[in-house]
Amino acid sequence: MLAEEAKKLEEAKNAEAESGQIKVEADKPNKAFDIEDDIVRNISQANPIVDFRRMINEKAEDLTNSAIEQMTKLIEKFIEESFQGNLYDKALDCTKELRKGAVQEDEAPAFNDFLHMLKDKYAQGKHTKFW
């Protein structure tokens, strides 16, 4: 089925190229089927937990440190950009997932340092409800 879709896509590109709408370079591989494009290298705000899991479970490339760094920054961003606590639940869910990932990858000290930083930063001030 995937081969059929690839063939249809190629036929559509060729038809568009013949009509002068786009230029197709035959010597370049189709990026839609490039396996490396499936590797998540950035954690999105829309699906941070899924992206984090995919990064730490990536076998082709070690992305654990990058995943932890990105997740910690994103958690802080959720807290800082929260309006009346509307993103606190998302920040907390991400913190829980960060802990699971840190334990799984033997990075517990990095998680502990981050948690201490959160406490120091948010135990007082306008985001105390998060803590």
Side-chain angles (χ1 to χ4, degrees), residues 73-124:
K73 288 179 181 178
L74 192 57
I75 291 167
E76 283 190 83
K77 182 176 178 139
F78 287 148
I79 296 168
E80 291 291 332
E81 293 182 358
S82 181
F83 177 72
Q84 296 181 349
N86 68 326
L87 296 175
Y88 289 171
D89 286 342
K90 197 168 193 175
L92 185 58
D93 290 342
C94 289
T95 303
K96 290 175 185 177
E97 192 61 36
L98 176 62
R99 182 184 180 279
K100 287 179 193 174
V103 169
Q104 173 186 325
E105 298 297 318
D106 294 325
E107 295 288 341
F111 174 79
N112 292 338
D113 292 344
F114 175 67
L115 204 59
H116 286 290
M117 185 279 304
L118 282 181
K119 181 181 179 186
D120 292 344
K121 192 170 183 177
Y122 300 114
Q124 297 179 357

Side-chain angles (χ1 to χ4, degrees), residues 11-110:
E11 288 173 359
K13 283 184 179 182
N14 289 337
E16 289 175 348
E18 288 174 8
S19 69
Q21 291 178 0
I22 64 168
K23 180 182 174 187
V24 175
E25 296 180 31
D27 60 330
K28 290 190 177 180
N30 186 346
K31 288 288 187 185
F33 300 103
D34 190 355
I35 293 174
E36 280 200 29
D37 284 350
D38 290 339
I39 296 175
V40 174
R41 289 187 174 82
N42 294 303
I43 298 176
S44 68
Q45 290 186 38
N47 295 309
I49 292 174
V50 172
D51 293 342
F52 179 75
R53 284 181 190 158
R54 287 186 64 192
M55 285 180 73
I56 64 168
N57 291 321
E58 180 58 50
K59 301 300 178 208
E61 191 174 333
D62 185 7
L63 299 171
T64 301
N65 290 336
S66 177
I68 290 172
E69 182 180 327
Q70 289 182 47
M71 185 63 103
T72 58
K73 288 179 181 178
L74 192 57
I75 291 167
E76 283 190 83
K77 182 176 178 139
F78 287 148
I79 296 168
E80 291 291 332
E81 293 182 358
S82 181
F83 177 72
Q84 296 181 349
N86 68 326
L87 296 175
Y88 289 171
D89 286 342
K90 197 168 193 175
L92 185 58
D93 290 342
C94 289
T95 303
K96 290 175 185 177
E97 192 61 36
L98 176 62
R99 182 184 180 279
K100 287 179 193 174
V103 169
Q104 173 186 325
E105 298 297 318
D106 294 325
E107 295 288 341

